[in-house]
Amino acid sequence: MEPNYDPLWDENGELRRGCTVREALDWLTKHGSHGAGESVYINGVSYKLGRLLYGPNRPEVADKPISRVCDGYYRQLNFSV
């Protein structure tokens, strides 16, 4: 994978098909824009990033493809799957 590859957005600024919640969050935390202690909202339910990425009881929603990125408050992550 190339260093500037963004799993969430393609070269045209469109949502990349098949990107899972975990892939997007992993990329965002590795590039420093978000931390494991922050919350993310998926289908309106709040989850901690760390639980979705590293938790032993990771919810199933972590491995589902993102269908839509929703608007939210400043730096708030909101996805629909």
PDB file of all heavy atoms in Angstrom, residues 31-64:
ATOM      1  N   HIS A  31      -2.344   8.278  11.311  1.00  0.00           N
ATOM      2  CA  HIS A  31      -1.923   9.559  10.754  1.00  0.00           C
ATOM      3  C   HIS A  31      -2.159  10.711  11.727  1.00  0.00           C
ATOM      4  O   HIS A  31      -2.018  11.872  11.362  1.00  0.00           O
ATOM      5  CB  HIS A  31      -2.596   9.804   9.408  1.00  0.00           C
ATOM      6  CG  HIS A  31      -2.033   8.924   8.344  1.00  0.00           C
ATOM      7  ND1 HIS A  31      -2.447   7.630   8.147  1.00  0.00           N
ATOM      8  CD2 HIS A  31      -1.040   9.141   7.456  1.00  0.00           C
ATOM      9  CE1 HIS A  31      -1.740   7.102   7.170  1.00  0.00           C
ATOM     10  NE2 HIS A  31      -0.879   7.992   6.735  1.00  0.00           N
ATOM     11  N   GLY A  32      -2.542  10.402  12.954  1.00  0.00           N
ATOM     12  CA  GLY A  32      -2.601  11.397  14.019  1.00  0.00           C
ATOM     13  C   GLY A  32      -3.793  12.316  14.042  1.00  0.00           C
ATOM     14  O   GLY A  32      -3.825  13.252  14.831  1.00  0.00           O
ATOM     15  N   SER A  33      -4.786  12.087  13.216  1.00  0.00           N
ATOM     16  CA  SER A  33      -5.921  13.003  13.224  1.00  0.00           C
ATOM     17  C   SER A  33      -6.945  12.666  14.310  1.00  0.00           C
ATOM     18  O   SER A  33      -7.757  13.518  14.667  1.00  0.00           O
ATOM     19  CB  SER A  33      -6.592  13.051  11.850  1.00  0.00           C
ATOM     20  OG  SER A  33      -7.079  11.782  11.487  1.00  0.00           O
ATOM     21  N   HIS A  34      -6.893  11.450  14.826  1.00  0.00           N
ATOM     22  CA  HIS A  34      -7.804  11.036  15.897  1.00  0.00           C
ATOM     23  C   HIS A  34      -7.081  10.066  16.817  1.00  0.00           C
ATOM     24  O   HIS A  34      -6.137   9.384  16.410  1.00  0.00           O
ATOM     25  CB  HIS A  34      -9.062  10.372  15.329  1.00  0.00           C
ATOM     26  CG  HIS A  34      -9.943  11.344  14.609  1.00  0.00           C
ATOM     27  ND1 HIS A  34     -10.808  12.171  15.259  1.00  0.00           N
ATOM     28  CD2 HIS A  34     -10.065  11.640  13.301  1.00  0.00           C
ATOM     29  CE1 HIS A  34     -11.436  12.926  14.378  1.00  0.00           C
ATOM     30  NE2 HIS A  34     -10.986  12.619  13.169  1.00  0.00           N
ATOM     31  N   GLY A  35      -7.540   9.988  18.076  1.00  0.00           N
ATOM     32  CA  GLY A  35      -6.926   9.097  19.058  1.00  0.00           C
ATOM     33  C   GLY A  35      -7.870   8.009  19.509  1.00  0.00           C
ATOM     34  O   GLY A  35      -9.094   8.111  19.349  1.00  0.00           O
ATOM     35  N   ALA A  36      -7.311   6.965  20.094  1.00  0.00           N
ATOM     36  CA  ALA A  36      -8.089   5.792  20.514  1.00  0.00           C
ATOM     37  C   ALA A  36      -9.129   6.117  21.582  1.00  0.00           C
ATOM     38  O   ALA A  36     -10.114   5.406  21.720  1.00  0.00           O
ATOM     39  CB  ALA A  36      -7.149   4.699  21.011  1.00  0.00           C
ATOM     40  N   GLY A  37      -8.952   7.194  22.325  1.00  0.00           N
ATOM     41  CA  GLY A  37      -9.909   7.554  23.378  1.00  0.00           C
ATOM     42  C   GLY A  37     -11.097   8.352  22.889  1.00  0.00           C
ATOM     43  O   GLY A  37     -12.037   8.610  23.643  1.00  0.00           O
ATOM     44  N   GLU A  38     -11.093   8.748  21.627  1.00  0.00           N
ATOM     45  CA  GLU A  38     -12.192   9.547  21.087  1.00  0.00           C
ATOM     46  C   GLU A  38     -13.388   8.674  20.737  1.00  0.00           C
ATOM     47  O   GLU A  38     -13.263   7.461  20.566  1.00  0.00           O
ATOM     48  CB  GLU A  38     -11.730  10.298  19.837  1.00  0.00           C
ATOM     49  CG  GLU A  38     -10.690  11.348  20.124  1.00  0.00           C
ATOM     50  CD  GLU A  38     -10.277  12.086  18.873  1.00  0.00           C
ATOM     51  OE1 GLU A  38     -11.170  12.566  18.144  1.00  0.00           O
ATOM     52  OE2 GLU A  38      -9.070  12.165  18.625  1.00  0.00           O
ATOM     53  N   SER A  39     -14.526   9.322  20.606  1.00  0.00           N
ATOM     54  CA  SER A  39     -15.755   8.618  20.236  1.00  0.00           C
ATOM     55  C   SER A  39     -16.021   8.728  18.746  1.00  0.00           C
ATOM     56  O   SER A  39     -15.637   9.700  18.100  1.00  0.00           O
ATOM     57  CB  SER A  39     -16.951   9.205  20.985  1.00  0.00           C
ATOM     58  OG  SER A  39     -16.830   8.973  22.357  1.00  0.00           O
ATOM     59  N   VAL A  40     -16.680   7.715  18.233  1.00  0.00           N
ATOM     60  CA  VAL A  40     -17.157   7.707  16.858  1.00  0.00           C
ATOM     61  C   VAL A  40     -18.611   7.246  16.918  1.00  0.00           C
ATOM     62  O   VAL A  40     -18.978   6.440  17.763  1.00  0.00           O
ATOM     63  CB  VAL A  40     -16.303   6.776  15.958  1.00  0.00           C
ATOM     64  CG1 VAL A  40     -16.332   5.358  16.432  1.00  0.00           C
ATOM     65  CG2 VAL A  40     -16.724   6.857  14.513  1.00  0.00           C
ATOM     66  N   TYR A  41     -19.424   7.804  16.046  1.00  0.00           N
ATOM     67  CA  TYR A  41     -20.829   7.427  16.005  1.00  0.00           C
ATOM     68  C   TYR A  41     -21.078   6.622  14.744  1.00  0.00           C
ATOM     69  O   TYR A  41     -20.761   7.055  13.643  1.00  0.00           O
ATOM     70  CB  TYR A  41     -21.721   8.675  16.028  1.00  0.00           C
ATOM     71  CG  TYR A  41     -21.621   9.391  17.348  1.00  0.00           C
ATOM     72  CD1 TYR A  41     -20.614  10.307  17.591  1.00  0.00           C
ATOM     73  CD2 TYR A  41     -22.516   9.105  18.370  1.00  0.00           C
ATOM     74  CE1 TYR A  41     -20.497  10.937  18.811  1.00  0.00           C
ATOM     75  CE2 TYR A  41     -22.403   9.731  19.603  1.00  0.00           C
ATOM     76  CZ  TYR A  41     -21.400  10.648  19.821  1.00  0.00           C
ATOM     77  OH  TYR A  41     -21.281  11.262  21.034  1.00  0.00           O
ATOM     78  N   ILE A  42     -21.636   5.441  14.932  1.00  0.00           N
ATOM     79  CA  ILE A  42     -21.947   4.552  13.817  1.00  0.00           C
ATOM     80  C   ILE A  42     -23.422   4.216  13.900  1.00  0.00           C
ATOM     81  O   ILE A  42     -23.870   3.649  14.901  1.00  0.00           O
ATOM     82  CB  ILE A  42     -21.080   3.282  13.855  1.00  0.00           C
ATOM     83  CG1 ILE A  42     -19.606   3.669  13.863  1.00  0.00           C
ATOM     84  CG2 ILE A  42     -21.416   2.369  12.692  1.00  0.00           C
ATOM     85  CD1 ILE A  42     -18.664   2.553  14.180  1.00  0.00           C
ATOM     86  N   ASN A  43     -24.144   4.609  12.874  1.00  0.00           N
ATOM     87  CA  ASN A  43     -25.610   4.446  12.855  1.00  0.00           C
ATOM     88  C   ASN A  43     -26.240   5.051  14.104  1.00  0.00           C
ATOM     89  O   ASN A  43     -27.187   4.509  14.665  1.00  0.00           O
ATOM     90  CB  ASN A  43     -26.001   2.977  12.716  1.00  0.00           C
ATOM     91  CG  ASN A  43     -25.571   2.382  11.404  1.00  0.00           C
ATOM     92  OD1 ASN A  43     -25.331   3.094  10.431  1.00  0.00           O
ATOM     93  ND2 ASN A  43     -25.450   1.073  11.359  1.00  0.00           N
ATOM     94  N   GLY A  44     -25.673   6.165  14.576  1.00  0.00           N
ATOM     95  CA  GLY A  44     -26.213   6.884  15.726  1.00  0.00           C
ATOM     96  C   GLY A  44     -25.787   6.365  17.092  1.00  0.00           C
ATOM     97  O   GLY A  44     -26.158   6.933  18.103  1.00  0.00           O
ATOM     98  N   VAL A  45     -24.993   5.301  17.136  1.00  0.00           N
ATOM     99  CA  VAL A  45     -24.536   4.716  18.403  1.00  0.00           C
ATOM    100  C   VAL A  45     -23.085   5.129  18.632  1.00  0.00           C
ATOM    101  O   VAL A  45     -22.264   5.057  17.724  1.00  0.00           O
ATOM    102  CB  VAL A  45     -24.655   3.173  18.373  1.00  0.00           C
ATOM    103  CG1 VAL A  45     -24.142   2.559  19.657  1.00  0.00           C
ATOM    104  CG2 VAL A  45     -26.100   2.762  18.118  1.00  0.00           C
ATOM    105  N   SER A  46     -22.772   5.547  19.845  1.00  0.00           N
ATOM    106  CA  SER A  46     -21.425   5.992  20.185  1.00  0.00           C
ATOM    107  C   SER A  46     -20.535   4.814  20.578  1.00  0.00           C
ATOM    108  O   SER A  46     -20.940   3.948  21.360  1.00  0.00           O
ATOM    109  CB  SER A  46     -21.494   6.979  21.350  1.00  0.00           C
ATOM    110  OG  SER A  46     -20.210   7.362  21.752  1.00  0.00           O
ATOM    111  N   TYR A  47     -19.304   4.789  20.025  1.00  0.00           N
ATOM    112  CA  TYR A  47     -18.289   3.789  20.350  1.00  0.00           C
ATOM    113  C   TYR A  47     -16.967   4.519  20.557  1.00  0.00           C
ATOM    114  O   TYR A  47     -16.717   5.539  19.928  1.00  0.00           O
ATOM    115  CB  TYR A  47     -18.080   2.798  19.197  1.00  0.00           C
ATOM    116  CG  TYR A  47     -19.267   1.973  18.837  1.00  0.00           C
ATOM    117  CD1 TYR A  47     -20.165   2.406  17.868  1.00  0.00           C
ATOM    118  CD2 TYR A  47     -19.483   0.735  19.423  1.00  0.00           C
ATOM    119  CE1 TYR A  47     -21.255   1.642  17.503  1.00  0.00           C
ATOM    120  CE2 TYR A  47     -20.575  -0.041  19.061  1.00  0.00           C
ATOM    121  CZ  TYR A  47     -21.458   0.422  18.109  1.00  0.00           C
ATOM    122  OH  TYR A  47     -22.536  -0.342  17.751  1.00  0.00           O
ATOM    123  N   LYS A  48     -16.107   4.002  21.397  1.00  0.00           N
ATOM    124  CA  LYS A  48     -14.745   4.509  21.517  1.00  0.00           C
ATOM    125  C   LYS A  48     -13.911   3.893  20.401  1.00  0.00           C
ATOM    126  O   LYS A  48     -14.033   2.703  20.105  1.00  0.00           O
ATOM    127  CB  LYS A  48     -14.123   4.152  22.874  1.00  0.00           C
ATOM    128  CG  LYS A  48     -14.760   4.862  24.042  1.00  0.00           C
ATOM    129  CD  LYS A  48     -14.393   6.319  24.025  1.00  0.00           C
ATOM    130  CE  LYS A  48     -14.971   7.006  25.254  1.00  0.00           C
ATOM    131  NZ  LYS A  48     -14.839   8.437  25.189  1.00  0.00           N
ATOM    132  N   LEU A  49     -13.055   4.705  19.785  1.00  0.00           N
ATOM    133  CA  LEU A  49     -12.209   4.216  18.699  1.00  0.00           C
ATOM    134  C   LEU A  49     -11.387   3.020  19.146  1.00  0.00           C
ATOM    135  O   LEU A  49     -11.268   2.040  18.418  1.00  0.00           O
ATOM    136  CB  LEU A  49     -11.280   5.322  18.196  1.00  0.00           C
ATOM    137  CG  LEU A  49     -11.772   6.175  17.054  1.00  0.00           C
ATOM    138  CD1 LEU A  49     -12.872   7.108  17.476  1.00  0.00           C
ATOM    139  CD2 LEU A  49     -10.625   6.931  16.473  1.00  0.00           C
ATOM    140  N   GLY A  50     -10.810   3.097  20.332  1.00  0.00           N
ATOM    141  CA  GLY A  50      -9.976   2.007  20.838  1.00  0.00           C
ATOM    142  C   GLY A  50     -10.721   0.692  20.924  1.00  0.00           C
ATOM    143  O   GLY A  50     -10.168  -0.366  20.629  1.00  0.00           O
ATOM    144  N   ARG A  51     -11.980   0.736  21.307  1.00  0.00           N
ATOM    145  CA  ARG A  51     -12.769  -0.502  21.397  1.00  0.00           C
ATOM    146  C   ARG A  51     -12.999  -1.101  20.018  1.00  0.00           C
ATOM    147  O   ARG A  51     -12.950  -2.319  19.832  1.00  0.00           O
ATOM    148  CB  ARG A  51     -14.103  -0.223  22.076  1.00  0.00           C
ATOM    149  CG  ARG A  51     -14.947  -1.473  22.210  1.00  0.00           C
ATOM    150  CD  ARG A  51     -16.145  -1.252  23.109  1.00  0.00           C
ATOM    151  NE  ARG A  51     -16.914  -2.487  23.139  1.00  0.00           N
ATOM    152  CZ  ARG A  51     -18.212  -2.542  22.883  1.00  0.00           C
ATOM    153  NH1 ARG A  51     -18.873  -1.446  22.606  1.00  0.00           N
ATOM    154  NH2 ARG A  51     -18.842  -3.689  22.915  1.00  0.00           N
ATOM    155  N   LEU A  52     -13.229  -0.237  19.020  1.00  0.00           N
ATOM    156  CA  LEU A  52     -13.453  -0.722  17.662  1.00  0.00           C
ATOM    157  C   LEU A  52     -12.177  -1.252  17.026  1.00  0.00           C
ATOM    158  O   LEU A  52     -12.216  -2.154  16.195  1.00  0.00           O
ATOM    159  CB  LEU A  52     -14.028   0.397  16.790  1.00  0.00           C
ATOM    160  CG  LEU A  52     -15.437   0.839  17.152  1.00  0.00           C
ATOM    161  CD1 LEU A  52     -15.788   2.128  16.430  1.00  0.00           C
ATOM    162  CD2 LEU A  52     -16.450  -0.244  16.826  1.00  0.00           C
ATOM    163  N   LEU A  53     -11.040  -0.696  17.434  1.00  0.00           N
ATOM    164  CA  LEU A  53      -9.766  -1.110  16.840  1.00  0.00           C
ATOM    165  C   LEU A  53      -9.086  -2.239  17.597  1.00  0.00           C
ATOM    166  O   LEU A  53      -8.556  -3.160  17.002  1.00  0.00           O
ATOM    167  CB  LEU A  53      -8.808   0.082  16.770  1.00  0.00           C
ATOM    168  CG  LEU A  53      -9.160   1.177  15.788  1.00  0.00           C
ATOM    169  CD1 LEU A  53      -8.216   2.356  15.962  1.00  0.00           C
ATOM    170  CD2 LEU A  53      -9.102   0.654  14.371  1.00  0.00           C
ATOM    171  N   TYR A  54      -9.067  -2.137  18.920  1.00  0.00           N
ATOM    172  CA  TYR A  54      -8.214  -3.021  19.713  1.00  0.00           C
ATOM    173  C   TYR A  54      -8.943  -3.878  20.736  1.00  0.00           C
ATOM    174  O   TYR A  54      -8.338  -4.762  21.317  1.00  0.00           O
ATOM    175  CB  TYR A  54      -7.167  -2.192  20.478  1.00  0.00           C
ATOM    176  CG  TYR A  54      -6.520  -1.135  19.640  1.00  0.00           C
ATOM    177  CD1 TYR A  54      -6.718   0.210  19.901  1.00  0.00           C
ATOM    178  CD2 TYR A  54      -5.699  -1.476  18.566  1.00  0.00           C
ATOM    179  CE1 TYR A  54      -6.118   1.191  19.128  1.00  0.00           C
ATOM    180  CE2 TYR A  54      -5.103  -0.499  17.785  1.00  0.00           C
ATOM    181  CZ  TYR A  54      -5.313   0.835  18.080  1.00  0.00           C
ATOM    182  OH  TYR A  54      -4.730   1.790  17.316  1.00  0.00           O
ATOM    183  N   GLY A  55     -10.199  -3.591  20.990  1.00  0.00           N
ATOM    184  CA  GLY A  55     -10.909  -4.284  22.060  1.00  0.00           C
ATOM    185  C   GLY A  55     -11.035  -5.776  21.835  1.00  0.00           C
ATOM    186  O   GLY A  55     -11.222  -6.224  20.707  1.00  0.00           O
ATOM    187  N   PRO A  56     -10.911  -6.540  22.923  1.00  0.00           N
ATOM    188  CA  PRO A  56     -11.046  -7.994  22.797  1.00  0.00           C
ATOM    189  C   PRO A  56     -12.465  -8.407  22.376  1.00  0.00           C
ATOM    190  O   PRO A  56     -12.653  -9.420  21.738  1.00  0.00           O
ATOM    191  CB  PRO A  56     -10.709  -8.516  24.188  1.00  0.00           C
ATOM    192  CG  PRO A  56     -10.953  -7.358  25.099  1.00  0.00           C
ATOM    193  CD  PRO A  56     -10.693  -6.117  24.295  1.00  0.00           C
ATOM    194  N   ASN A  57     -13.431  -7.590  22.731  1.00  0.00           N
ATOM    195  CA  ASN A  57     -14.823  -7.863  22.360  1.00  0.00           C
ATOM    196  C   ASN A  57     -15.283  -6.832  21.335  1.00  0.00           C
ATOM    197  O   ASN A  57     -16.306  -6.185  21.497  1.00  0.00           O
ATOM    198  CB  ASN A  57     -15.729  -7.821  23.595  1.00  0.00           C
ATOM    199  CG  ASN A  57     -15.346  -8.891  24.579  1.00  0.00           C
ATOM    200  OD1 ASN A  57     -15.048 -10.011  24.195  1.00  0.00           O
ATOM    201  ND2 ASN A  57     -15.326  -8.547  25.851  1.00  0.00           N
ATOM    202  N   ARG A  58     -14.505  -6.715  20.265  1.00  0.00           N
ATOM    203  CA  ARG A  58     -14.777  -5.712  19.231  1.00  0.00           C
ATOM    204  C   ARG A  58     -16.177  -5.948  18.655  1.00  0.00           C
ATOM    205  O   ARG A  58     -16.509  -7.060  18.256  1.00  0.00           O
ATOM    206  CB  ARG A  58     -13.724  -5.828  18.140  1.00  0.00           C
ATOM    207  CG  ARG A  58     -13.817  -4.799  17.082  1.00  0.00           C
ATOM    208  CD  ARG A  58     -12.715  -4.837  16.044  1.00  0.00           C
ATOM    209  NE  ARG A  58     -12.029  -6.089  15.875  1.00  0.00           N
ATOM    210  CZ  ARG A  58     -10.747  -6.283  16.206  1.00  0.00           C
ATOM    211  NH1 ARG A  58     -10.042  -5.324  16.746  1.00  0.00           N
ATOM    212  NH2 ARG A  58     -10.190  -7.445  16.014  1.00  0.00           N
ATOM    213  N   PRO A  59     -17.005  -4.889  18.565  1.00  0.00           N
ATOM    214  CA  PRO A  59     -18.350  -5.042  18.000  1.00  0.00           C
ATOM    215  C   PRO A  59     -18.286  -5.406  16.512  1.00  0.00           C
ATOM    216  O   PRO A  59     -17.355  -5.019  15.811  1.00  0.00           O
ATOM    217  CB  PRO A  59     -18.968  -3.641  18.169  1.00  0.00           C
ATOM    218  CG  PRO A  59     -18.096  -2.911  19.098  1.00  0.00           C
ATOM    219  CD  PRO A  59     -16.751  -3.541  19.055  1.00  0.00           C
ATOM    220  N   GLU A  60     -19.284  -6.127  16.043  1.00  0.00           N
ATOM    221  CA  GLU A  60     -19.359  -6.547  14.639  1.00  0.00           C
ATOM    222  C   GLU A  60     -19.331  -5.364  13.683  1.00  0.00           C
ATOM    223  O   GLU A  60     -18.831  -5.478  12.570  1.00  0.00           O
ATOM    224  CB  GLU A  60     -20.655  -7.320  14.386  1.00  0.00           C
ATOM    225  CG  GLU A  60     -20.634  -8.735  14.854  1.00  0.00           C
ATOM    226  CD  GLU A  60     -21.925  -9.456  14.493  1.00  0.00           C
ATOM    227  OE1 GLU A  60     -22.627  -9.017  13.548  1.00  0.00           O
ATOM    228  OE2 GLU A  60     -22.225 -10.441  15.145  1.00  0.00           O
ATOM    229  N   VAL A  61     -19.854  -4.238  14.124  1.00  0.00           N
ATOM    230  CA  VAL A  61     -19.938  -3.059  13.265  1.00  0.00           C
ATOM    231  C   VAL A  61     -18.554  -2.597  12.802  1.00  0.00           C
ATOM    232  O   VAL A  61     -18.430  -1.950  11.761  1.00  0.00           O
ATOM    233  CB  VAL A  61     -20.723  -1.926  13.979  1.00  0.00           C
ATOM    234  CG1 VAL A  61     -19.906  -1.282  15.078  1.00  0.00           C
ATOM    235  CG2 VAL A  61     -21.221  -0.912  13.004  1.00  0.00           C
ATOM    236  N   ALA A  62     -17.499  -2.946  13.507  1.00  0.00           N
ATOM    237  CA  ALA A  62     -16.133  -2.536  13.144  1.00  0.00           C
ATOM    238  C   ALA A  62     -15.701  -3.105  11.796  1.00  0.00           C
ATOM    239  O   ALA A  62     -14.894  -2.495  11.101  1.00  0.00           O
ATOM    240  CB  ALA A  62     -15.142  -2.962  14.226  1.00  0.00           C
ATOM    241  N   ASP A  63     -16.234  -4.242  11.428  1.00  0.00           N
ATOM    242  CA  ASP A  63     -15.822  -4.887  10.181  1.00  0.00           C
ATOM    243  C   ASP A  63     -16.832  -4.722   9.044  1.00  0.00           C
ATOM    244  O   ASP A  63     -16.731  -5.387   8.022  1.00  0.00           O
ATOM    245  CB  ASP A  63     -15.537  -6.363  10.433  1.00  0.00           C
ATOM    246  CG  ASP A  63     -14.325  -6.534  11.327  1.00  0.00           C
ATOM    247  OD1 ASP A  63     -13.321  -5.836  11.098  1.00  0.00           O
ATOM    248  OD2 ASP A  63     -14.388  -7.328  12.272  1.00  0.00           O
ATOM    249  N   LYS A  64     -17.777  -3.816   9.222  1.00  0.00           N
ATOM    250  CA  LYS A  64     -18.765  -3.559   8.167  1.00  0.00           C
ATOM    251  C   LYS A  64     -18.289  -2.414   7.282  1.00  0.00           C
ATOM    252  O   LYS A  64     -17.657  -1.471   7.751  1.00  0.00           O
ATOM    253  CB  LYS A  64     -20.113  -3.219   8.786  1.00  0.00           C
ATOM    254  CG  LYS A  64     -20.709  -4.409   9.509  1.00  0.00           C
ATOM    255  CD  LYS A  64     -22.134  -4.183   9.850  1.00  0.00           C
ATOM    256  CE  LYS A  64     -22.621  -5.462  10.526  1.00  0.00           C
ATOM    257  NZ  LYS A  64     -24.019  -5.608  10.449  1.00  0.00           N
TER     258      LYS A  64
END
